[in-house]
Amino acid sequence: MRIESSRRLRGPNRYLARPVQVTRVLLDGLTERESSDFPGFTDRLLAAFPGLAEHHCAFGEPGGFVKRLHGGTYFGHTAEHVAIELSQRIGRPVNFGRTEGTGVPGEYDVVTECPVDEPPDSGVAEALLALAIAGVLAALHGEPVRVEDELAVLRRTYEREKAGPSTAAIADAARARGIPVERVGELSLLRLGYGRHRRLVWAALTDHTSAIGVDIASDKELTRRLLDEAGVPVPTGGAAASLAEALDIFAELGPPVVVKPRQGRQGMHVFLGVDTPDALRAAYEAATAGGDDAVVERELTGRDYRVLTVGGKVVAAAERVAAHVVGDGATDVAGLIARANEDPRRGDGHARALTRIVVDDVALTLLRRQGVAVDTVPAAGQVVRLRENANLSTGGTSVDVTDDVHPSVADLCRRVAAIVGLDIAGLDLRLPSIAEPLPPTGSLAGGGVIEVNAAPGLRMHLDPSDGTARDVGDAIVEALYPAGSPSRIPIVAITGTNGKTTVARLTAHLLDGAGLRVGVTTTDGIAIGGRLVQRADATGPRSARVVLSDPTVDAAVLETARGGMLRQGLGYDWSDVGIITNLASDHLGQDGIDNIEDLVDLKCLIGERVREGGAVVLNADDPRSRGLAAHPGRFEKREIVWCSLDPRNPLIRRHWDTGGRAYLLADGWLVELADRRWIPILAVGELGGGFGGAARHLVANALAATAAARVLGVATARVAERLRTFTDNPGRGMLLHLGGVDVLVDYAHNPAAIRAIGDLVDRLWGADHAVAAVTLPGDRRDDLLRESAREVARFDRVVIYEDSDRRGRAPGEVPAILHDELAATSPKATCTVVRTVDEAVPAALAMARPGDVVLLLYEKIEPVLSLLRTLGAETAHDQHVSFPLIGASV
């Protein structure tokens, strides 16, 4: 049993609304073998992983998986459960798993849930499964199951990669409010919201945090001076660029003083109680080791407090207690420290609520000052200090005192944050008691402000060592998104077999007409505000995230293809409108999608991820689409909006009669049925690019786009105006003139699409007046290629050429399949096979007679249009009125 490959589905996917890892596992010699085939295996496995006894599996209760083991289950499934158990052992909270056969004997996809904010390129999930496989094989062969050393490495990796407490608290608070959240890689940077409502948060810094305020807070001396000038009680002192200057300040202030780096952070190299010139020299050298100046200031007496202000409000306060241990009369200092570090809340750095206590030079110096060493056994109850500063990052603890803050202290903290210019500030105070009023004179007898921190840590408030936890993450989110503030933009997601790109372009065109700056993704690329910003096949989740993270975007229209959903999931959490154009055979046999039922289930994800109260737009003329709405609960609490080219469709009538909304073609008009009213929108002959209504597939696309725009509130008059002016649809039903011949360029590349464009050719020119120049992608199954060839067989003159990207096929393989099927279906047809599009176009033109049309199906639009322009082709700008109005017969 071994791993072949692995991929992360970052967004909502066919398995789960949360991220998952999909790992291809080959069973090799364990193919078709089950756990029950090996006596003693289950007992050995449970002995090594006793937590498996609590796994539910399909039985829905603890012990369910054990029943499966005893009854017999395949080894991919066994490895899945062990991987989940190992994940839980390292504190990585996941529960979901699934193992699916790929259709190849001994080949399985093992699907395991991943933490929502785990970096998408993390290797932890795959490493856990690999370790699980090793453990299963060891138990299978009766060998010792040893996983703890590797598991310890993975635990450290997971701790390092996971979001810290502050970042996690903000992300959790945002999600609780329904605000989209995305963590950027392994950073503490979060993107909240979509489009114009997108906000950035980096730990406790936001995109509203003043850069000047951060610089001021980072300069301890500048902060002290600025606050002193504003009448805020601060310790006297100054900055020293040399030891001589530091000694002068010390002599002026008198002991004790505090020495710290001018640009210090997290309490590093901060020395309190400096009371002799020799102690000052040592402190100064340590504080300036990084090349910075040192600040020397009078040490204030009192207790150490941290007050957190957010958006001009005091939201939390904690008393900070410096790292220390308390003797028991039997254990030495080193043992007491080790015992303290066993607290599960302590970890390295900021990964957990508390930081491990480290015995370094600072701690050793302080121990010597107290007359003890690491091997000293303190008396019972004796307090041994390990730090003088009370930062959590140096091992300190905290006690929540939020409810005790005196109004005068709260007012001071709000003033200080405003003076420095910080929307989020952590203020360090030394006071006799935070519950007592400040002296009205501002004298230092009552303590004062000793530091102001930008990007303050939130751990002491989220999980204090004692007292009430404060949801400061929610306070930060509330400041970013006050009650009633939007965090989302309208999102339209589009999938289906045919018409996705045109529907996306049309929908964006309609929303743009309503004054919205639209971000749209299609097979052509990403466009923002009508300008193409990236040329690529942009139908996957990465492209969706580009649009949704752009703060200039008012609305998003996302063409969403099968491949992206399968390989990475969706690029958003919820949409407002989901459109499924139709469901026909295409891409079967790829990525585990072997039949039309699998494809339908996958495409349904677009409708299932429409928010409650949103709309799912479906094609009432497509049998498989009609079947979607009949599935109990599939689109529950979503509005179903139907579209149809047939005004006599009984489904439309029933839907309308029960108060539903629908869009259809009737009596030559695009019509809205809503609120039991019949509302004409546009005569079909006026539809831009619609060939006078003859392009039935484009009329269907226009109905779907109209439905989306109307759901989002675009007025019918504006919709009609924009439908008339829709001309920018390159490569889809694109008509050009070349000499006396028309050239119709289209991307049809599956049977349904070829049938639709062939019907248009029949209506406007007739098949006997057409030449087809055809290429099809090589990643389609042979049966689908042959079915497409049978659709092409309606034409009696055909040129076949090959894609430049053969997608795994041998040279000439696809043209040979098409040629053979075409010859079998239409023996009298003239069929020429050439190599490239550069050869195909002249060959097709040579076959055409004046007045004929060349139907050109392409692989990539740019080289085709370049070739046609070189040959002298001109765009037929009047194509939407060039042909007679088809009217009610359409």
Side-chain angles (χ1 to χ4, degrees):
M1 183 164 51
R2 56 193 169 89
I3 291 174
E4 182 184 56
S5 61
S6 192
R7 67 181 188 273
R8 177 71 59 96
L9 275 60
R10 185 174 177 181
N13 52 78
R14 60 189 295 211
Y15 305 105
L16 203 62
R18 301 181 296 280
V20 298
Q21 190 87 3
V22 182
T23 307
R24 180 67 51 85
V25 173
L26 307 181
L27 298 188
D28 294 336
L30 293 175
T31 300
E32 303 299 332
R33 304 297 301 275
E34 297 185 354
S35 54
S36 56
D37 294 340
F38 298 87
F41 165 71
T42 296
D43 292 338
R44 292 192 296 270
L45 189 71
L46 292 175
F49 306 105
L52 294 174
E54 297 299 315
H55 287 214
H56 291 206
C57 202
F59 289 89
E61 60 184 12
F65 179 59
V66 175
K67 293 179 182 178
R68 291 291 301 273
L69 285 170
H70 285 299
T73 188
Y74 288 137
F75 283 90
H77 181 222
T78 303
E80 167 213 318
H81 276 270
V82 174
I84 292 173
E85 177 63 22
L86 292 174
S87 182
Q88 293 172 343
R89 278 197 192 182
I90 65 172
R92 185 174 174 268
V94 302
N95 295 291
F96 174 85
R98 178 180 297 174
T99 301
E100 296 182 333
T102 67
V104 177
E107 185 175 276
Y108 287 85
D109 282 336
V110 176
V111 182
T112 51
E113 180 185 359
C114 297
V116 67
D117 287 321
E118 186 170 78
D121 58 352
S122 172
V124 171
E126 182 176 342
L128 284 168
L129 183 58
L131 189 57
I133 289 173
V136 169
L137 293 177
L140 184 67
H141 299 305
E143 300 169 353
V145 179
R146 297 188 177 96
V147 297
E148 289 308 320
D149 289 347
E150 292 181 64
L151 204 58
V153 173
L154 290 175
R155 181 182 292 109
R156 290 192 293 272
T157 302
Y158 169 66
E159 292 277 356
R160 185 185 69 250
E161 291 182 347
K162 75 175 184 177
S166 299
T167 302
I170 296 169
D172 291 345
R175 290 192 177 101
R177 291 170 173 252
I179 297 171
V181 179
E182 182 181 9
R183 182 186 177 197
V184 180
E186 294 186 25
L187 303 175
S188 296
L189 178 64
L190 298 176
R191 281 197 288 258
L192 307 184
Y194 287 150
R196 62 181 299 192
H197 304 302
R198 187 219 69 183
R199 304 298 305 275
L200 297 177
V201 182
W202 195 320
L205 289 173
T206 79
D207 51 17
H208 275 188
T209 300
S210 163
I212 293 177
V214 172
D215 284 348
I216 291 172
S218 298
D219 187 326
K220 306 305 179 185
E221 173 61 11
L222 178 58
T223 302
R224 192 190 64 78
R225 287 185 185 178
L226 192 65
L227 295 181
D228 185 44
E229 291 173 359
V232 173
V234 293
T236 54
S242 66
L243 177 59
E245 290 182 5
L247 288 168
D248 287 345
I249 297 171
F250 175 73
E252 179 180 348
L253 297 176
V257 298
V258 176
V259 179
K260 57 189 176 183
R262 183 167 182 165
Q263 303 287 336
R265 56 191 296 271
Q266 297 178 356
M268 296 180 65
H269 304 300
V270 175
F271 299 88
L272 285 75
V274 177
D275 55 2
T276 66
D278 286 343
L280 181 79
R281 289 187 184 91
Y284 178 84
E285 289 175 2
T288 58
D292 194 12
D293 290 352
V295 172
V296 180
E297 60 188 24
R298 177 170 291 159
E299 182 173 338
L300 302 184
T301 59
R303 298 158 82 172
D304 208 318
Y305 296 101
R306 163 65 65 83
V307 178
L308 180 68
T309 65
V310 178
K313 299 177 182 178
V314 171
V315 298
E319 180 177 357
R320 302 188 302 175
V321 181
H324 67 280
V325 291
V326 179
D328 61 5
T331 310
D332 63 16
V333 170
L336 294 171
I337 293 172
R339 185 184 302 165
N341 283 336
E342 290 174 359
D343 185 337
R345 294 177 301 170
R346 289 194 183 272
D348 296 326
H350 297 153
R352 300 188 187 180
L354 297 173
T355 299
R356 292 173 60 85
I357 300 172
V358 177
V359 179
D360 55 11
D361 290 343
V362 174
L364 292 173
T365 300
L366 185 55
L367 288 174
R368 285 194 296 270
R369 285 170 52 188
Q370 298 171 82
V372 298
V374 291
D375 58 356
T376 301
V377 177
Q382 179 183 349
V383 175
V384 178
R385 293 177 294 128
L386 299 165
R387 279 291 191 278
E388 289 185 308
N389 66 304
N391 295 68
L392 262 66
S393 55
T394 57
T397 56
S398 65
V399 178
D400 177 72
V401 294
T402 305
D403 294 334
D404 300 333
V405 178
H406 192 274
S408 63
V409 177
D411 183 66
L412 173 68
C413 293
R414 288 191 292 268
R415 282 189 61 224
V416 169
I419 291 167
V420 175
L422 293 174
D423 60 333
I424 300 174
L427 298 103
D428 294 340
L429 310 176
R430 275 285 180 94
L431 300 170
S433 172
I434 202 168
E436 297 175 358
L438 292 173
T441 61
S443 73
L444 294 183
V449 178
I450 55 176
E451 278 193 15
V452 178
N453 299 278
L458 307 180
R459 294 183 296 163
M460 69 186 74
H461 310 299
L462 295 166
D463 191 8
S465 306
D466 189 21
T468 304
R470 305 291 171 171
D471 191 357
V472 293
D474 186 70
I476 291 172
V477 174
E478 170 68 23
L480 293 171
Y481 295 97
S485 300
S487 62
R488 298 174 177 272
I489 59 174
I491 297 175
V492 180
I494 302 152
T495 197
T497 304
N498 302 112
K500 298 185 294 295
T501 298
T502 298
V503 172
R505 291 170 175 167
L506 263 167
T507 303
H509 185 68
L510 298 181
L511 297 180
D512 176 78
L516 299 176
R517 181 175 170 86
V518 184
V520 58
T521 65
T522 68
T523 53
D524 287 341
I526 302 170
I528 305 290
R531 186 177 70 85
L532 192 67
V533 297
Q534 181 177 336
R535 187 178 296 281
D537 184 346
T539 58
R542 291 182 181 177
S543 303
R545 283 190 282 269
V546 169
V547 167
L548 295 174
S549 63
D550 190 316
T552 71
V553 170
D554 298 318
V557 179
L558 309 174
E559 180 182 346
T560 309
R562 167 207 60 86
M565 285 191 277
L566 280 170
R567 298 183 191 110
Q568 296 185 53
L570 297 178
Y572 60 91
D573 56 353
W574 298 102
S575 68
D576 298 275
V577 182
I579 300 175
I580 302 176
T581 60
N582 71 324
L583 296 164
S585 297
D586 196 13
H587 294 284
L588 300 183
Q590 300 177 35
D591 300 307
I593 303 297
D594 295 319
N595 52 60
I596 187 63
E597 290 75 20
D598 292 340
L599 187 64
V600 170
D601 285 342
L602 176 66
K603 300 275 188 179
C604 274
L605 183 61
I606 293 301
E608 292 164 354
R609 295 307 296 180
V610 170
R611 63 171 176 82
E612 289 188 6
V616 182
V617 179
L618 299 173
N619 183 352
D621 300 331
D622 178 48
R624 294 189 179 95
S625 297
R626 291 196 298 269
L628 297 183
H631 191 286
R634 172 163 268 168
F635 301 137
E636 188 177 5
K637 298 182 181 179
R638 282 89 172 162
E639 179 189 6
I640 302 296
V641 180
W642 290 104
C643 299
S644 176
L645 296 174
D646 180 6
R648 294 172 295 277
N649 189 312
L651 175 59
I652 296 292
R653 173 58 64 179
R654 290 194 303 271
H655 189 64
W656 190 34
D657 286 344
T658 56
R661 180 161 30 172
Y663 295 83
L664 71 156
L665 177 65
D667 297 328
W669 283 78
L670 277 66
V671 175
E672 176 181 85
L673 305 183
D675 300 323
R676 300 185 184 279
R677 293 189 302 155
W678 178 288
I679 307 169
I681 296 176
L682 182 74
V684 71
E686 299 181 59
L687 176 62
F691 296 95
R696 291 174 61 88
H697 59 288
L698 190 124
V699 176
N701 295 335
L703 291 171
T706 297
R710 291 290 293 134
V711 166
L712 296 178
V714 182
T716 53
R718 184 57 56 86
V719 169
E721 173 191 337
R722 298 297 286 181
L723 289 175
R724 288 189 190 96
T725 60
F726 179 65
T727 57
D728 188 16
N729 196 23
R732 270 70 175 176
M734 189 175 184
L735 185 65
L736 301 96
H737 297 313
L738 182 53
V741 175
D742 293 324
V743 180
L744 182 64
V745 180
D746 198 84
Y747 188 57
H749 56 279
N750 59 52
I754 295 172
R755 185 181 313 119
I757 197 68
D759 289 345
L760 174 63
V761 170
D762 278 348
R763 289 190 188 93
L764 299 184
W765 290 274
D768 56 341
H769 289 284
V771 179
V774 177
T775 185
L776 290 175
D779 58 357
R780 271 43 171 193
R781 282 190 334 208
D782 288 2
D783 60 324
L784 294 178
L785 292 174
R786 286 191 289 268
E787 186 179 349
S788 295
R790 290 194 291 273
E791 294 294 339
V792 175
R794 70 169 70 200
F795 305 110
D796 58 11
R797 290 167 288 168
V798 178
V799 177
I800 298 173
Y801 69 100
E802 189 165 47
D803 279 3
S804 59
D805 180 0
R806 296 191 298 273
R807 306 191 191 192
R809 296 276 188 169
E813 184 178 357
V814 171
I817 293 172
L818 299 179
H819 178 271
D820 292 348
E821 189 64 28
L822 187 64
T825 306
S826 181
K828 295 182 180 180
T830 301
C831 182
T832 300
V833 178
V834 299
R835 292 178 301 169
T836 67
V837 68
D838 289 347
E839 297 173 4
V841 171
L845 291 170
M847 288 184 180
R849 299 180 290 268
D852 282 353
V853 63
V854 171
L855 173 61
L856 176 56
L857 307 185
Y858 64 88
E859 175 191 8
K860 294 181 179 179
I861 188 62
E862 292 83 4
V864 166
L865 294 181
S866 176
L867 173 62
L868 290 172
R869 284 193 292 268
T870 299
L871 295 174
E874 297 180 352
T875 301
H877 295 290
D878 60 343
Q879 63 192 60
H880 71 296
V881 295
S882 292
F883 301 93
L885 178 65
I886 305 299
S889 65
V890 173

